[in-house]
Amino acid sequence: MFIIFVAHLPANGWSLWIPSRFGFSDATEIFVFCSGMASAIAFGRVFELHGLALGTARVLYRVWQVYWAHICLFLAVAGMLAFLQINGWTSDDYVGQLNLWHFFEDPIFQMPGLLTLTYIPNYFDILPMYLVILAMLPVIMVAYYKAGRGAVAAIVIVLWLIANFRWIDLPAEPWSDRRWFFNPFAWQLLFFTGFAFIRGWIPAPPVNKHLLFLSATIIILTIPFSYYRILNDVPELRKIALAIGGLTVKSEMGILRYIHFLALAYVSWVAVGEGGKRLLMGGIRGKVVRVIKKVGQQSLAVFLASLLIAQGIAILRDELGLKGTVTGGSMANLLGFAGLIAVAYTVAWFKGEPWRKSEEKPVS
């Protein structure tokens, strides 16, 4: 969540130090993989205890929630930018920077596209991908119960191949041939990998020095083909990076992105120890981990807030004349982090329904 905020904050110097600058995969892979794991916990048990019908109903309810979260996020960000701009509170064309003038100039034509997900501005492209993948979950569960893990693997791999050969694309805007930036039929491979690990369809890999060395080697070898300073200084490596672009493409989640992420996930999994025991400790580090955990537990609310906060803070930074400065960058990122943490704890408080637990005497 913090990395995603850094990546979405406009003109952010801190974005030069996020994982995507040093490898093929980035925070999107982390988000989708963890979403698959969380879905296995949240929905897999429902299928197991209550059957396909109720399991499907539970998933569709979540799809409904994510769909309206996407619509409301778009309206909130677009509305905020329009309000600030028409009242002369901004000096730049922030609406244009997100390429939203098409929507404001012809809302009667664009609103149906927004509601049918055939109009997806790039800034708002993760949630549509996520809800399409969620909608595929009942199909995967039917395949598992009817034919087993082999059928699930076949469906997932075939869909990923179809997406990588560009045989299936979803339109992102009606006035051009631009497609969804995140092809859900490709990204479902990573989602269902995380899902399968939690459900036990894929066994946890052994912890041994050979796998650890292989994973670390993969991570290190990708750096020269990802880090912009190296690519700018070594034309030969830049040519190779361009040549393998089809294997590292983000829209269709190229195979090298998938391999890089699995290597990174394995090293991280080994590093935290069994059950994350190296994270379960006291002191300052333990407190930091607990805060990060709280943010992760409220990922949807935090993600929605992060995109809105990122735009608002960027405008504040720019209007204060701090764009491109170390002070402005630090202020914007730290304010954003504080905002994400505040949202996480606030949402957790509301979800806890404290009014049900309170034993205070009623106010007379």
Side-chain angles (χ1 to χ4, degrees), residues 17-67:
W17 302 101
I18 59 178
S20 62
R21 300 294 181 261
F22 304 94
F24 297 144
S25 67
D26 58 25
T28 311
E29 277 83 359
I30 301 173
F31 178 78
V32 173
F33 183 78
C34 290
S35 295
M37 298 173 74
S39 295
I41 297 171
F43 310 128
R45 190 69 173 164
V46 179
F47 280 99
E48 187 177 296
L49 294 178
H50 303 290
L52 290 171
L54 284 181
T56 300
R58 178 66 183 90
V59 171
L60 292 179
Y61 177 64
R62 186 58 170 173
V63 169
W64 176 256
Q65 290 177 316
V66 174
Y67 171 80

Side-chain angles (χ1 to χ4, degrees), residues 203-259:
V207 177
N208 63 55
K209 61 182 181 181
H210 300 294
L211 267 180
L212 190 59
F213 176 78
L214 175 62
S215 299
T217 301
I218 291 172
I219 294 170
I220 293 170
L221 288 179
T222 61
I223 294 175
F225 304 100
S226 306
Y227 188 44
Y228 74 101
R229 292 188 185 277
I230 296 177
L231 293 177
N232 288 341
D233 293 338
V234 186
E236 293 79 11
L237 290 178
R238 186 166 64 249
K239 289 180 181 178
I240 296 175
L242 292 173
I244 62 173
L247 303 177
T248 62
V249 62
K250 190 168 186 176
S251 291
E252 285 77 37
M253 204 193 69
I255 189 61
L256 292 184
R257 295 183 70 92
Y258 183 70
I259 293 172

Side-chain angles (χ1 to χ4, degrees), residues 188-201:
Q188 52 82 31
L189 173 64
L190 190 58
F191 178 93
F192 287 116
T193 300
F195 188 92
F197 272 122
I198 293 298
R199 295 301 299 160
W201 299 351

Side-chain angles (χ1 to χ4, degrees), residues 26 32 41 83 89 112 124 145 175 178 224 252 283 325 337 362:
D26 58 25
V32 173
I41 297 171
F83 177 80
W89 293 355
F124 307 92
Y145 284 122
W175 60 85
R178 187 172 69 85
E252 285 77 37
T325 67
F337 291 171

Side-chain angles (χ1 to χ4, degrees), residues 108-307:
I108 293 178
F109 183 68
Q110 303 307 338
M111 186 62 73
L114 176 68
L115 296 175
T116 58
L117 303 181
T118 54
Y119 170 48
I120 308 287
N122 277 340
Y123 192 69
F124 307 92
D125 46 19
I126 292 182
L127 289 183
M129 174 260 287
Y130 176 52
L131 69 86
V132 170
I133 295 175
L134 271 182
M136 295 171 56
L137 210 164
V139 177
I140 293 298
M141 295 305 296
V142 169
Y144 173 73
Y145 284 122
K146 298 297 183 181
R149 292 179 295 179
V152 171
I155 292 172
V156 169
I157 293 172
V158 167
L159 282 175
W160 177 80
L161 287 171
I162 289 174
N164 269 261
F165 281 108
R166 299 286 306 278
W167 292 340
I168 182 170
D169 274 325
L170 298 175
E173 56 192 22
W175 60 85
S176 78
D177 59 356
R178 187 172 69 85
R179 56 203 173 89
W180 282 23
F181 182 76
F182 294 109
N183 189 324
F185 302 103
W187 280 83
Q188 52 82 31
L189 173 64
L190 190 58
F191 178 93
F192 287 116
T193 300
F195 188 92
F197 272 122
I198 293 298
R199 295 301 299 160
W201 299 351
I202 301 176
V207 177
N208 63 55
K209 61 182 181 181
H210 300 294
L211 267 180
L212 190 59
F213 176 78
L214 175 62
S215 299
T217 301
I218 291 172
I219 294 170
I220 293 170
L221 288 179
T222 61
I223 294 175
F225 304 100
S226 306
Y227 188 44
Y228 74 101
R229 292 188 185 277
I230 296 177
L231 293 177
N232 288 341
D233 293 338
V234 186
E236 293 79 11
L237 290 178
R238 186 166 64 249
K239 289 180 181 178
I240 296 175
L242 292 173
I244 62 173
L247 303 177
T248 62
V249 62
K250 190 168 186 176
S251 291
E252 285 77 37
M253 204 193 69
I255 189 61
L256 292 184
R257 295 183 70 92
Y258 183 70
I259 293 172
H260 178 266
F261 173 78
L262 292 181
L264 194 61
Y266 180 77
V267 171
S268 302
W269 180 64
V270 172
V272 301
E274 184 178 356
K277 62 183 179 182
R278 295 193 183 97
L279 298 177
L280 305 176
M281 58 187 67
I284 295 178
R285 194 163 83 175
K287 293 179 181 178
V288 171
V289 169
R290 285 194 290 275
V291 170
I292 294 173
K293 181 179 178 181
K294 181 67 70 174
V295 170
Q297 288 171 335
Q298 309 302 333
S299 58
L300 179 59
V302 171
F303 173 78
L304 295 172
S306 73
L307 268 64

Side-chain angles (χ1 to χ4, degrees), residues 94-109:
Y94 293 100
V95 171
Q97 288 178 16
L98 287 188
N99 195 26
L100 298 181
W101 278 118
H102 287 283
F103 178 79
F104 286 109
E105 290 172 349
D106 194 2
I108 293 178
F109 183 68

